[in-house]
Amino acid sequence: QLVQWDAAPGDGVRFARARRCGLNHGVFNEDGSRKATPHWIYVDDNLLADIRAGMFRTLAAAAEAIFTVLGFPAVAVRQCAVALDKWKELFVSYKLVLLGLEFNTREMTVSIPHAYRQEVCDLLNNHWHRGRRSFTINEIETLVGKLGRVGQAFRPMYHLMGSLYKSVAFCLNKAEAYKLTVSKDFRALLRRSRTKITNDTSLQEARAIRFAAQQASRQTHHSKKTFHICKSLREELDFLTALMNDFSIPLSTFIGHIVPREPDFVAAG
């Protein structure tokens, strides 16, 4: 009664069928019986998956395991081991957003949530529009970071960011060279950061070297120097903007293409 449930699938709902292999043995034993549902526990979180018919018992088993280890409810003596407010917020569904990625267990896909895609679209449309001519290191690193998150679910994205990666490397190199010519303090930091740490280096000296490396890197990445958007970078930005704004293209990947699996075929040539 505490848990909220998504609507049951209708007659027209199709389920993607996962195939087992030598690395992923599936959920059935050799005699056809169901294997016990695994519970992946990290600190106070429990990650589990089951079909709708078995989810009620799976949740009950999770609660029973907690009570067995930490004690059954006795409010007069101790606090309840299960946070009832968390159970009231629990929504059991075939879709789950976990660590910023949306998992769909009916289609067996992992994708980028709509809200995050819209956030990236707004960044490209409003900040990296065709009228923009220059940028700073922090601006392009922010864009690369957001597109990198998209690439976690939409793997082709990593192959569409060549000019962005080259631009970041080029800008960092130029920013460091510029700081070397105009800042005496930066030159001292860089020399200190390049000191080799050996077994004879004292703890205090090692900390000073690491601090110098941290400060030199921070000053380089936060440089206010602007750089021109070259032709190749502009073409890549236009393509990425068109891709992200075309919502008919799902930014998703089948889970079977991400997890380790035995190969289906061997290509030679």
Side-chain angles (χ1 to χ4, degrees):
Q1 297 177 352
L2 295 177
V3 180
Q4 304 177 61
W5 296 80
D6 199 355
D11 296 334
V13 176
R14 298 183 62 183
F15 293 84
R17 184 178 294 275
R19 290 183 298 161
R20 65 179 181 178
C21 64
L23 300 178
N24 303 279
H25 303 287
V27 297
F28 292 99
N29 296 310
E30 293 298 332
D31 59 0
S33 60
R34 278 287 306 274
K35 295 180 180 179
T37 302
H39 293 244
W40 301 96
I41 299 176
Y42 180 75
V43 189
D44 60 347
D45 293 325
N46 186 1
L47 179 63
L48 53 91
D50 206 331
I51 60 174
R52 186 180 181 88
M55 182 57 77
F56 184 85
R57 289 186 176 182
T58 301
L59 291 175
E64 183 179 5
I66 295 174
F67 291 143
T68 300
V69 175
L70 301 178
F72 282 80
V75 181
V77 180
R78 57 179 175 269
Q79 184 177 354
C80 182
V82 174
L84 296 181
D85 57 333
K86 295 291 184 66
W87 280 84
K88 292 178 181 179
E89 296 174 359
L90 180 61
F91 184 69
V92 180
S93 174
Y94 65 96
K95 284 185 179 181
L96 171 69
V97 176
L98 183 66
L99 299 178
L101 300 175
E102 183 179 271
F103 294 83
N104 188 319
T105 56
R106 290 181 183 173
E107 300 177 356
M108 295 301 289
T109 59
V110 55
S111 59
I112 291 297
H114 178 82
Y116 187 83
R117 180 173 187 169
Q118 189 61 57
E119 181 183 337
V120 178
C121 286
D122 293 340
L123 177 63
L124 288 167
N125 296 331
N126 300 329
H127 193 79
W128 294 93
H129 51 80
R130 291 192 61 83
R132 191 173 187 84
R133 295 290 181 265
S134 61
F135 61 91
T136 64
I137 293 177
N138 183 259
E139 289 171 337
I140 197 169
E141 285 182 335
T142 299
L143 177 62
V144 168
K146 290 188 175 296
L147 292 175
R149 166 54 68 89
V150 175
Q152 291 181 336
F154 185 64
R155 295 306 175 93
M157 181 62 71
Y158 290 131
H159 304 283
L160 303 176
M161 299 168 58
S163 291
L164 289 175
Y165 287 131
K166 288 187 290 185
S167 296
V168 171
F170 173 82
C171 295
L172 288 173
N173 184 272
K174 289 297 182 180
E176 182 179 289
Y178 174 75
K179 293 285 290 184
L180 282 172
T181 60
V182 300
S183 175
K184 180 180 179 181
D185 293 338
F186 183 80
R187 291 195 295 270
L189 275 176
L190 206 59
R191 284 196 300 269
R192 188 68 179 276
S193 67
R194 292 174 177 174
T195 303
K196 187 176 181 179
I197 299 178
T198 64
N199 294 332
D200 297 329
T201 305
S202 65
L203 180 60
Q204 184 177 0
E205 178 67 13
R207 287 178 177 175
I209 294 172
R210 295 190 183 99
F211 179 77
Q214 178 186 6
Q215 291 301 308
S217 176
R218 185 175 183 276
Q219 290 186 29
T220 302
H221 284 268
H222 288 77
S223 172
K224 299 300 182 181
K225 184 176 176 59
T226 58
F227 301 89
H228 178 69
I229 298 179
C230 63
K231 182 180 178 181
S232 61
L233 178 58
R234 170 47 60 193
E235 291 175 349
E236 193 165 278
L237 288 170
D238 290 344
F239 181 82
L240 290 172
T241 301
L243 171 65
M244 294 297 298
N245 282 289
D246 188 353
F247 283 82
S248 66
I249 302 176
L251 300 181
S252 62
T253 301
F254 288 106
I255 295 176
H257 295 170
I258 300 177
V259 299
R261 288 182 58 85
E262 286 185 339
D264 294 323
F265 63 90
V266 177

